[in-house]
Amino acid sequence: MGWHGAPRLLVPRLVTGLKVWHLRPSSRFYPKANFANVVATLPRGATVVVCFGEIDCREGFIDAVAKLRYDSIEDAIATCVSLYILELNKLTTDRGVRVIVHTAMPVLNETRPVVRAFNAQLVVACRTALIPCLDFTEKLLTDDGAAFRPEFSLDGTHASPAYIAMFEDALAALPPSPPTPQPQ
């Protein structure tokens, strides 16, 4: 794939089961350790596209509100988005990488409203922190926002590779050198 006239190779670095919530300082859950192990493999100066939060939307926020840890889904999202931004700033500082955020995929019908609310807060937080954000996932939905467009659905749970063209367009719309994030 190309980005601003230069070829780029996407190398997946999967961290299975990672919630943003797992990245909090007090967490000792395995996905956090797996995340640290994956981060350690990132070359200095690399451009890294991260996409976290879908699992938080699917189960974390709803469970946290049900257990009265937060007054609302919006409050739970705000806490998680703040944690996300802190972790991205740490990643940039500690590993010397350029981070680009890919918003959570709104594939599942059951969680789409929560994913959309999460993405809305995430985009604003990224903008404030000067972290580039690929904010195009709304274009993957039908005009009324009620469903994931069939041409981008692989199996009803995952996005099809057909979505990569939109990913490339969103990436091309970013400046060649993303701005340096500012601590919050």
Side-chain angles (χ1 to χ4, degrees):
M1 105 182 288
W3 185 28
H4 296 285
R8 296 289 177 132
L9 177 64
L10 293 179
V11 180
R13 303 286 171 98
L14 185 63
V15 181
T16 304
L18 182 69
K19 292 180 186 177
V20 175
W21 185 245
H22 295 148
L23 298 175
R24 71 193 186 284
S26 63
S27 176
R28 300 290 177 250
F29 196 51
Y30 172 74
K32 181 180 179 179
N34 190 21
F35 175 74
N37 289 334
V38 168
V39 164
T41 70
L42 299 174
R44 289 206 163 275
T47 299
V48 179
V49 178
V50 297
C51 184
F52 310 142
E54 189 279 332
I55 300 173
D56 298 90
C57 294
R58 186 172 0 122
E59 57 188 44
F61 301 140
I62 295 166
D63 287 350
V65 172
K67 293 176 182 175
L68 303 177
R69 292 188 179 130
Y70 297 95
D71 291 334
S72 68
I73 295 280
E74 291 76 18
D75 290 343
I77 290 171
T79 298
C80 214
V81 165
S82 293
L83 177 61
Y84 198 165
I85 296 299
L86 288 172
E87 192 61 37
L88 295 179
N89 283 329
K90 181 179 169 196
L91 180 61
T92 299
T93 303
D94 293 353
R95 292 295 305 165
V97 298
R98 294 182 298 168
V99 174
I100 299 172
V101 172
H102 182 308
T103 52
M105 295 292 281
V107 178
L108 299 175
N109 292 334
E110 298 79 9
T111 59
R112 189 167 302 113
V114 178
V115 170
R116 293 176 81 191
F118 173 79
N119 285 344
Q121 286 195 39
L122 180 61
V123 168
V124 170
C126 285
R127 207 172 285 136
T128 301
L130 299 178
I131 297 172
C133 185
L134 303 176
D135 179 24
F136 69 95
T137 53
E138 287 291 314
K139 294 177 183 174
L140 300 172
L141 301 176
T142 55
D143 291 341
D144 63 1
F148 201 69
R149 291 186 185 277
E151 62 267 32
F152 298 119
S153 180
L154 180 65
D155 58 9
T157 301
H158 302 94
S160 157
Y163 112 95
I164 293 298
M166 284 189 150
F167 171 82
E168 284 183 298
D169 291 345
L171 196 59
L174 294 177
S177 294
T180 304
Q182 302 299 312
Q184 290 191 351

